[in-house]
Every structure is written in C-alpha cells, then in structure tokens.
Amino acid sequence: MAALQTDVLVIGGGSTGAGVARDAAMRGLGTVLVERRDLADGTTGRFHGLLHSGGRYVVKDPPAARECVPENAILRRIAADCIEDTGGLFVTTPPDDPAYAEQFLAGCRATGVPVEELPVGEALQREPRLNPRISRAFLVPDAAIDPWKTVWACARSAQAYGARILTYHRVVDLVRSGDRVVGARLANDLTGEEVGVEAAVVVNASGAWAGQIARMAGCDVEIQPGKGIMIAMNHRLVQTVINRCKMPADGDILVPIRTVSVIGTTDVRVPDPDEAPVTQGEVEQMLDEGEVLVPGFRRARALRVWAGVRPLFQETKPGLVSDTRDVSRSHTLLDHARRDGVEGLLTITGGKTTTFRLMAEVTVDAVCEHLGVKRPCRTHEESLPGSQDGGHYWLGARLASREPVPRSEQIVCECELITRRKLEEAIDRRRTVNLDDIRRTLRLGMGPCQGGFCIYRATGILHARHGVDAETANGSLLSFLQERWKGVHPILYGDQLRQAHLDDWIFQGVLNVRELAR
Amino acid sequence: MSSVRETLDHCVKCTICETFCPYSKATPLFPGPKYVGPQAERFRGTEGSPDYSLDYCSGCGICTQVCPQGVKIAEINSQARAELWEERGIPLRNRIVARPSVTGALGTPVAPLANLTLRARPARWALERTLGIDRRAPLPRFAGRTFQAWARRRRGPQAASGTVAYFHGCSTNYYEPETGERVVELLEHNGFRVVVPRQGCCGLPLQSNGDFPAARRYASRLAATLDAAGEGAPIVSNSTSCSLMLKREALEILEVDDEALRRVSERTYDVCEFLLGLHERGELRTDFQPLPLTVPYHAPCQQRGHGIGKPALDLLALIPELRLVELDAACCGIAGTYGLKREKYEISMRVGEELFAQVRDAEPDLTACDSETCRWQITHGTGVPSVHPVELLHRAYGL
C-alpha cells in the first residue's frame, strides 16, 4: 500500500475542493486532493454555468446575494478566461407578478447587487428572441462560467504550489485514532491500488456526498440532495443570461454558455445523490418555462438533458424541509470537533460555484487555526493559470483560431471545432484512456451530434496513441456512447431524434458497435 | 430573430452539402458550407466576426438546394457575411461592383471610351492594383444605349390578350438591351401587352457584397415600382438571379418587411417559367422554324434556386432541329461579382473548369444560359458565345 503524509487532505474534486486545495497550497500547507472520479465530474460539472450577480437571491436569500457581489467581481478578475461576460437580465414576463420588480430593486440596493433598469425596447434589441411581452428588464452583472476550466485551473494552480491531485481515487474509509481523524484509506479505481494518507486535517468538500464521508468518521451530517435538471439547447438562443424577475422557482434561468444555451432548473429532493434520474415531467416543465422566456423554444433543438445534485444542508430542522429551495444557498462550515467531538475533520458544504473561493477561504482559515498557523489567504489576489492577461472568454475564439486557412488541420470534433492536434495534446496531458475525461477538457462530443461523428475518430486516435490497446479504446468508445445516450434519450423529439437515428445508423449499422461489447 | 439562423438546428452533419459545394473543392481557403454555415454559426452572435473565410462562399446556394434537412446554409452565410462587412467596413471595390445601376448609368454615355479602357491592359492592371478587380476577369461591354430608351420609344401592338410587367434588370438595360428587346417581342408575339416601368437595381449585388442596409433600400424601391406596374399582371424577368431576389431572397435573407415586396414576390416569374406555363395551357405559339445548331444549356445556380425545374430545356426542345445538350456541371464560378475579385478569380476559374470542359466537348455553335454574368463567364472560359434562351426562341419565331 502506497502511503502519503500531508497537512491537509481535501476530499472532493468539485469547485469547493479544488478551491480549498489551491488556497491551502498557496498558504504553504502540504495538500492532497482526492476525487473519486474526474475533476468537476459531480455537481460542479452539472450546473447551468451561471456566475451569479446575486440578483437571484436579493429577495429570497439576502445573505447569499451579499456573498455573491464581491465573489463575482473577484472571479471575473482571477478566473477571467473561464468567464464570459454575458451580463444578465431579469425580465418580468406576463405570468410574473409585476410587484416583484420593486422588491427586486429594493433587494439589489440593500445587498449591493449592481442593477440598471433597461427600457423594454432596448432589452429586446439586445435579445431579439426574448418574449416581446416582457414589461420590465433589469441589467445585472451575471456571467457564464465554465466549470471544468475553472476547476482545472484551480487544480493546476494548487499543483504549482505543491499540492497532489489524485483523481479516480475513492475514499474507502476515514482513519480515526481515538477522537481524531488522522487520515484516510483510498482506493485507486483505475489500478485497484490502495493508498493510505496521513493528514493533520481532513477537509470534507464532497458536496452532496458529504454526509457519506462524515459518516465514515461517525459524524451525522444531514445533506439534502436537491436534484436539478438542465437542458442544453443547440445554439445560443440568447447572448445574455436571462432570469425571470420573480421569486426563484423552476426553469427560470436561461444561460448562454460556450456554444449552447442552458435552461434550468428544477429542485427535487432525492435520497441518493448518485441516483438522480430525469423525468419526463421535468423535461416538459423546462420546455414550458423556456417558451415563456423565448417564444418558439419548443421548436428549437434540445441537445441534451442532465441532472445535478445540490448539497443543501440545514442544521436546525433536519428532515423537516421538503422544498430544498427554502434552504439558504449560503455555505456552512462544520467543525466536527466542536459539533461532534471529532478532531481533525471539517466539512464545508452548501454554497454554490459563484462563492467557491470564499468557501475555500473560510475553510482554510479554520484549517490554519487547527494547525496553529497564521497565514493570510491570497487566492483573491492571484490569477488562475490561463487567466493572467485578464481577457474574458470569447465565443468566437475557436472559430477565429482556425483562420486564415481553416482547412490546414484535420478537425476531429466538427461541432466544437477540435483539431486532431488539440485532441492528441489533451490525451497526452490528461494521460487518460477515458474519452469522457477528454470531453470535459475539450468539449469533445458535446455539440449537436453528441459524438456521432467524432467519437469513432477520437477512438482511433486514442488507440494510436501510447499503445492504448484496441480493447481499452473500444471500451472507452462504448462507455462514451452510453454516457451520451443517457442525456439524449429523455429529449428525443424533432431534430435531435433525427440526429439520434443517423448516429445509430453510423454506430450500429455501419460500425456494428454491439459486437465490440462482447 | 431570424428564421434563417434557426434552421441550423436541422443540421445532422451528414456532409451532403460539403460534397456538392464547388467552391470548397476549388480552394482550401473556403472551409465548406457545413463548416461556415450551421457549424460556425454556433460560434457567432457575440461582438466580433470570428471568421473571414466565410467570404470565400460565393453564395451560389447549391448547399441549400441539396440539404435534405432544410438548413438554409447559403442564407446563413450571407447574413454572417453582412455582419462581417458591417464591422470591417465594405471595401471600395465591393461598393462599386455592387452598384450596376450606377456604373451602367455612368458608362453608357461614354461607352466607346469606357469599353476601350476596360479592355486596355494598362487600365486593367491599374484597376487590379487600385481596386482589386482581377485584370483577367470578364467585364461586360456597355451597349452605349439603354433598353429603357428603346422601350419608351416602342409602340407595341394595340390588340392584346393580356398584360405582363417586365422587370429587365440592370444588365439588360446597360449591357444587353437586345435581350430585353427579344423578351418584349416574344411576349408581344404571343399576344401580350408589355408594360416596362422605370426601374432600378434589385439589390442582389449589394446583398452578395455584404451591404444589407443599401440592398434593402434598393429592394424596397424596386418592389414599390413593380407593385404599381401592370395592375397586378404577372411580372416577368429574364434575369434569374434578380428575380430570385424578388421572389425569395429579399424577404428571407435581407428580411425586408414590406407588403409591396410580398405582393411582387407572389407575381414574379422567370420568363422561361412564364412561357412554359403558357405552353402547358396551350397558349404559346409554336410556329418555330428549324434552327440547326448545337447548343449546350447551363442552368445557373440562381435559376435552380427558383425551384421550377429547367423550363428553358422544355421550351428549347420545341424548336425543330435544335441539338440541345443539357450540361450538368454545378457552377460556372462567376457567382455574380465573386469571380471579378482578384483574390477569387482563380478559384472562380477552377470552379468553372468542369462546365467549360463540357461546353468544349459538345462542339457547340452557341451556348444558352439564363443568367448574364454566367454567360459572360462561359464565353470567357470557352470562347463560345452564350445567349439567353429567349434569343433562340426569338430566332426560331423568325421575328
């Protein structure tokens, strides 16, 4: 069994865990981050991509709104390349209570969310597909944030400060010595190897899975996994984040992110964060709500649907709350020494990607306190790798990068414009045989055909690289197809149904992939 | 917003458009219709046009015609190009070649000098260096008179069984007035009174060169003129690209919101389409004399965009002894003003090569083609004179 020793063991490779690992490493603490799958494979990688201005929370949850304001500004600075400055609109649509707009304005003033009312005509000029019957429109500094880029940038920064990042390592158990958690036993799910980590402090940043981890130390943390579904539409129906100006509810956000626009979301309590199926009812609900924001939404092409699971935690009345949206979206830091008499374990939960840096800061402050060291947080001062020049992400970048001779290089994924060279670089850098890992790195197979035309190409290239044997490459192809299918089958209508047919003819009819599974 | 953009949702990446596109075959600078159309469009829409390469699309429209899913590929490109030029500023050359009514009016009074100059090497060299109009490209000759002047002098027959309004377009007016004269005489021969309103450009060259605001003004002005002409009678045109503009493109690509244009769009016919309609109702005179000529026929891309088949073939088949050869090469390469441009001339000639070879193989006396710029290009590429089908009908009637 391999053994590691460190100051801080961070459990969970979402935005919170990656943020904690970066913060701890920047403060000079020995840091190991462990993630059971790939980075940002859980809740972080399954949200709509909205970097909140705070506007959504100004009436319902003012403390959450107050947290968003400075964090939004900090992330725009330190994670510039991960963010597209789309701006956000709150619009009063016909079904919305017009009185909410005044509450919203008052809430923005009270919490410090910058807001400017736009004349309706101007809002419609800016977003011509928006429902022409909106009665008011407010501009706020919402933005779109790429979760994978952000988490990977944090991880790379942490690594540069000496942290170790262990993906595909599952926590088998926490190791206790008396009243103290002193480390964890891990299993490398790719090699089967066991790894032991001794740590002065363990930070449980496993989000919706935090209850499962805490239980390993004998602590009872009641996480209410709140499932939210999102549908990615084939192209950008809007170029600005659109929110309904009403009390937060289901399907009231439309986020333009990268080449798609994502409508979300729902909020349904589920018992197990690993079981979050998408129901037909939820899909219909999203499409109906989309129609309110953008007339003709149902005729537009839906690419894919997925569910994420929020880690909502409420200490005071566990088991009593059924609508998880009533729980504050602010984070909670649990010091299990004070709470449960278990030393050496902190749980950071709740919160949202917009405030992940702040969550990491308060967590590492507590870690330092435990370790008896005084080191200030610097994560708000230093830009993430790739964001040093301060330029925001631009939608046209990939297309522009292929000029002036667009056909000079072979394209593997046509929808997301990924060249063979980019794919090979990613395979080398990620040292992975899993095409789904590559997907999260490059957006491979995330466009309209959902891998229909690129995954067989990518499989061949993977096979040709570093002696990945045919069986492994084929296995990767099959699991990729399976993963894509999960997101496509609940929205099979119209254009995406036709695409699915064509993809099926390619993979079953021409390539006979069924045989590969034998 | 635009219904054109939304058709990108129908793309299933089948690549049929790419296999038909004659331009992506001819140059690596044009990445192909699927790439610049439904694919690239997903990366557009925020500030800044990312891709200049879309300007290598000629707008021939073959991609849209062959797409089995209904993606308006050429139209997406056309709109994206307008945004590109709006940002970058339209080059002087594009502004000049896009205004045939202006160049025509300027050149006509000084036609001998203008024609001499436009065929003189030093002048063409200077034109290439200063404006970027390729010195080898086929430029038309000014006729030195206008079709309008002829039409105003003409007194047609008194008795008529019906009326048509004639939309002759700029080329007929300034470069080929004889084609317009043939059209009028043909229609009169078949018992129609022909109304010829004063008319300007349809805006198509402006649209192809990315100047949508100006194109919209021209299209609306022309629509108002034609709407008022002939009291609802059919509008007939011998320019397939200009009539396609009225029928479809101004509404769809330029998104001109204009009742007059919608009415005009409904009553506009290609002249061959109109004559074949007469024939199908037994109303076309068929007193054709034999014409023992070998004539290959090329249906221009914009003609195919009408979705009316190839009525010229059926009409010409009525002429005794005419040896008609249907050419199936996709495109002559000129695409209106595309092939005039220095950076695109050679692409244009490579695109046209298949058609030129088919023409040469047919050992023809003449070639026939509905579009004027295509005729100039075919003659340029093969040395064989090219005429509008009405010219052959006119001869066969012995008019």
Side-chain angles (χ1 to χ4, degrees):
Chain A
M1 183 169 99
L4 297 169
Q5 271 192 330
T6 186
D7 297 325
V8 193
L9 171 64
V10 185
I11 300 171
S15 55
T16 313
V20 170
R22 174 179 191 241
D23 195 327
M26 283 177 75
R27 297 197 212 194
L29 303 175
T31 306
V32 173
L33 181 141
V34 56
E35 159 60 42
R36 64 174 186 161
R37 291 191 190 136
D38 194 25
L39 292 184
D41 182 59
T43 306
T44 300
R46 293 166 202 257
F47 89 129
H48 38 53
L50 170 55
L51 180 73
H52 284 283
S53 59
R56 184 169 176 80
Y57 303 114
V58 292
V59 177
K60 184 81 173 271
D61 192 353
R66 266 186 210 100
E67 280 178 3
C68 289
V69 176
E71 288 305 310
N72 178 300
I74 291 168
L75 289 185
R76 280 168 182 266
R77 204 168 61 237
I78 67 160
D81 182 49
C82 311
I83 289 168
E84 183 181 347
D85 187 14
T86 58
L89 285 173
F90 278 77
V91 293
T92 307
T93 67
D96 304 332
D97 175 11
Y100 183 85
E102 290 307 318
Q103 281 178 276
F104 172 79
L105 275 178
C108 286
R109 279 192 292 272
T111 54
V113 172
V115 63
E116 178 199 342
E117 178 153 17
L118 291 187
V120 166
E122 204 176 302
L124 291 174
Q125 202 168 15
R126 182 182 170 127
E127 289 303 338
R129 285 195 188 81
L130 203 52
N131 190 335
R133 291 165 65 219
I134 57 170
S135 53
R136 294 185 82 172
F138 304 96
L139 188 64
V140 296
D142 284 342
I145 181 165
D146 184 313
W148 297 294
K149 260 176 137 177
T150 309
V151 169
W152 274 100
C154 284
R156 281 207 300 281
S157 169
Q159 280 173 320
Y161 281 97
R164 291 195 61 166
I165 310 287
L166 303 177
T167 56
Y168 290 101
H169 280 63
R170 185 165 40 87
V171 176
V172 180
D173 207 355
L174 293 179
V175 181
R176 276 183 68 160
S177 168
D179 287 343
R180 172 170 281 278
V181 173
V182 294
R185 282 196 300 118
L186 314 177
N188 181 334
D189 277 341
L190 298 181
T191 61
E193 188 191 19
E194 282 216 0
V195 181
V197 185
E198 276 180 44
V201 181
V202 173
V203 174
N204 173 15
S206 55
W209 292 263
Q212 297 175 15
I213 295 292
R215 210 165 301 129
M216 292 177 181
C219 303
D220 194 18
V221 174
E222 184 79 15
I223 299 289
Q224 303 161 12
K227 176 187 69 165
I229 77 148
M230 276 138 280
I231 300 177
M233 307 302 287
N234 182 37
H235 64 112
R236 307 235 311 201
L237 298 168
V238 290
Q239 305 290 357
T240 309
V241 174
I242 309 294
N243 306 265
R244 295 265 290 276
C245 193
K246 62 167 189 171
M247 206 56 110
D250 292 348
D252 50 7
I253 309 175
L254 184 58
V255 183
I257 180 157
R258 306 292 292 240
T259 49
V260 299
S261 31
V262 177
I263 187 155
T265 171
T266 54
D267 202 348
V268 181
R269 197 170 163 180
V270 291
D272 179 352
D274 285 314
E275 293 292 331
V278 173
T279 65
Q280 204 53 45
E282 287 172 298
V283 170
E284 293 299 322
Q285 186 189 6
M286 285 306 101
L287 298 178
D288 284 341
E289 299 296 338
E291 199 66 40
V292 176
L293 287 170
V294 174
F297 195 87
R298 275 183 172 276
R299 287 197 311 275
R301 176 172 178 176
L303 281 193
R304 173 172 191 79
V305 60
W306 68 91
V309 182
R310 300 178 189 82
L312 299 179
F313 172 74
Q314 194 164 39
E315 187 70 290
T316 48
K317 37 176 183 173
L320 294 178
V321 183
S322 57
D323 180 356
T324 52
R325 193 169 274 114
D326 287 337
V327 179
S328 171
R329 292 300 158 87
S330 296
H331 55 264
T332 309
L333 177 66
L334 302 176
D335 181 341
H336 293 284
R338 272 176 228 147
R339 184 177 179 268
D340 307 297
V342 177
E343 296 279 345
L345 178 66
L346 299 167
T347 292
I348 175 75
T349 189
K352 58 186 93 55
T353 289
T354 300
T355 57
F356 83 91
R357 193 213 60 88
L358 175 67
M359 293 162 71
E361 178 177 344
V362 299
T363 305
V364 181
D365 284 349
V367 170
C368 287
E369 206 181 299
H370 272 263
L371 297 174
V373 296
K374 245 187 134 76
R375 290 174 197 171
C377 172
R378 294 194 302 110
T379 53
H380 55 293
E381 294 167 356
E382 191 176 300
S383 290
L384 291 168
S387 291
Q388 288 91 344
D389 70 2
H392 286 307
Y393 167 78
W394 173 48
L395 175 65
R398 274 195 187 176
L399 188 57
S401 74
R402 301 186 43 75
E403 299 284 318
V405 187
R407 270 157 58 187
S408 54
E409 265 187 280
Q410 185 196 348
I411 301 188
V412 177
C413 171
E414 298 171 27
C415 306
E416 293 292 330
L417 295 177
I418 299 164
T419 59
R420 181 179 183 127
R421 188 172 50 84
K422 286 267 177 216
L423 175 64
E424 289 176 344
E425 277 170 14
I427 292 171
D428 293 352
R429 193 172 66 242
R430 294 292 315 271
R431 290 198 202 95
T432 182
V433 296
N434 185 342
L435 289 167
D436 210 42
D437 292 346
I438 303 294
R439 171 181 73 82
R440 282 182 290 273
T441 309
L442 293 179
R443 298 182 65 78
L444 179 73
M446 287 181 72
C449 74
Q450 290 287 298
F453 283 78
C454 65
I455 287 306
Y456 57 84
R457 296 172 186 157
T459 304
I461 291 166
L462 181 70
H463 175 51
R465 212 78 192 156
H466 306 310
V468 175
D469 63 40
E471 201 176 321
T472 309
N474 288 341
S476 194
L477 168 75
L478 286 172
S479 71
F480 191 95
L481 290 176
Q482 199 58 43
E483 199 53 43
R484 293 286 90 186
W485 175 246
K486 263 166 61 182
V488 168
H489 80 82
I491 45 115
L492 278 184
Y493 62 89
D495 290 317
Q496 202 62 342
L497 178 57
R498 292 203 266 188
Q499 183 74 60
H501 259 294
L502 182 55
D503 291 359
D504 189 56
W505 292 334
I506 292 171
F507 286 100
Q508 306 282 12
V510 178
L511 300 175
N512 199 13
V513 290
R514 226 183 275 275
E515 283 302 305
L516 297 178
R518 302 232 164 121
Chain B
M1 192 167 60
S2 98
S3 57
V4 162
R5 184 185 208 259
E6 279 153 20
T7 65
L8 77 87
D9 273 354
H10 307 324
C11 178
V12 293
K13 328 287 294 185
C14 68
T15 310
I16 287 173
C17 58
E18 305 255 306
T19 64
F20 276 84
C21 175
Y23 289 83
S24 57
K25 281 193 199 87
T27 174
L29 297 173
F30 181 55
K34 177 173 74 169
Y35 181 102
V36 295
Q39 256 168 224
E41 187 62 19
R42 297 175 71 242
F43 293 86
R44 299 192 191 111
T46 58
E47 208 137 303
S49 281
D51 54 333
Y52 176 81
S53 60
L54 74 92
D55 196 51
Y56 283 92
C57 164
S58 77
C60 70
I62 291 173
C63 45
T64 301
Q65 289 161 31
V66 299
C67 176
Q69 306 292 341
V71 184
K72 298 206 178 283
I73 308 166
E75 292 79 356
I76 290 174
N77 295 349
S78 195
Q79 292 188 343
R81 183 166 42 232
E83 268 175 47
L84 173 81
W85 288 124
E86 193 183 317
E87 279 164 26
R88 300 196 180 190
I90 298 168
L92 179 62
R93 173 195 64 193
N94 293 20
R95 289 179 189 277
I96 292 173
V97 298
R99 285 177 169 78
S101 53
V102 176
T103 47
L106 289 174
T108 298
V110 292
L113 181 64
N115 288 334
L116 208 64
T117 311
L118 289 178
R119 264 141 201 89
R121 279 187 178 205
R124 289 303 298 266
W125 179 83
L127 211 54
E128 180 173 292
R129 295 303 295 265
T130 54
L131 287 178
I133 295 173
D134 197 280
R135 63 184 189 282
R136 296 159 292 182
L139 294 181
R141 302 181 79 93
F142 295 101
R145 58 192 174 93
T146 65
F147 170 74
Q148 275 283 339
W150 178 88
R152 280 200 300 281
R153 282 196 310 272
R154 179 167 178 84
R155 293 285 164 268
Q158 293 305 305
S161 59
T163 303
V164 293
Y166 177 36
F167 165 46
H168 51 71
C170 302
S171 292
T172 301
N173 199 32
Y174 298 109
Y175 304 120
E176 298 185 340
E178 66 283 0
T179 305
E181 293 158 22
R182 306 284 186 262
V183 170
V184 171
E185 286 164 3
L186 264 178
L187 290 166
E188 287 177 353
H189 183 64
N190 279 284
F192 287 93
R193 186 173 72 95
V194 182
V195 178
V196 183
R198 281 178 183 270
Q199 53 196 262
C201 176
C202 65
L204 173 63
L206 287 157
Q207 174 187 283
S208 327
N209 283 284
D211 191 347
F212 276 23
R216 287 190 186 106
R217 286 196 299 276
Y218 275 94
S220 288
R221 211 179 301 146
L222 177 63
T225 307
L226 295 176
D227 190 38
E231 292 158 351
I235 299 165
V236 167
S237 169
N238 57 297
S239 172
T240 44
S241 42
C242 307
S243 53
L244 185 64
M245 184 74 176
L246 290 178
K247 276 183 172 178
R248 185 160 66 83
E249 294 193 344
L251 293 167
E252 199 170 87
I253 298 177
L254 298 177
E255 297 171 334
V256 173
D257 187 16
D258 184 328
E259 276 308 317
L261 177 61
R262 267 187 285 275
R263 283 192 296 270
V264 166
S265 154
E266 290 293 313
R267 55 187 264 245
T268 297
Y269 298 85
D270 166 58
V271 64
C272 292
E273 177 189 18
F274 182 76
L275 294 174
L276 187 63
L278 291 181
H279 181 59
E280 281 164 358
R281 293 193 298 276
E283 295 166 12
L284 185 78
R285 290 180 63 168
T286 52
D287 49 340
F288 294 114
Q289 297 159 18
L291 220 53
L293 298 170
T294 299
V295 180
Y297 168 76
H298 168 63
C301 306
Q302 301 288 324
Q303 191 280 342
R304 299 202 298 273
H306 283 245
I308 54 172
K310 296 178 179 177
L313 280 178
D314 294 314
L315 287 172
L316 295 177
L318 299 173
I319 301 175
E321 294 181 32
L322 185 73
R323 288 180 299 278
L324 196 56
V325 182
E326 183 183 1
L327 304 177
D328 62 2
C331 180
C332 71
I334 193 76
T337 58
Y338 184 93
L340 304 182
K341 296 167 184 169
R342 184 175 48 189
E343 74 279 12
K344 301 188 176 96
Y345 173 79
E346 284 179 5
I347 299 170
S348 142
M349 293 304 282
R350 277 198 294 277
V351 168
E353 193 39 54
E354 191 186 343
L355 180 66
F356 305 153
Q358 288 185 1
V359 168
R360 285 190 290 259
D361 287 351
E363 299 180 4
D365 298 298
L366 281 174
T367 67
C369 175
D370 309 77
S371 159
E372 51 284 334
T373 55
C374 306
R375 288 197 292 274
W376 303 335
Q377 170 85 341
I378 291 168
T379 302
H380 176 64
T382 62
V384 179
S386 186
V387 297
H388 193 285
V390 296
E391 168 73 30
L392 295 166
L393 294 172
H394 189 270
R395 277 196 212 179
Y397 275 133
L399 293 172

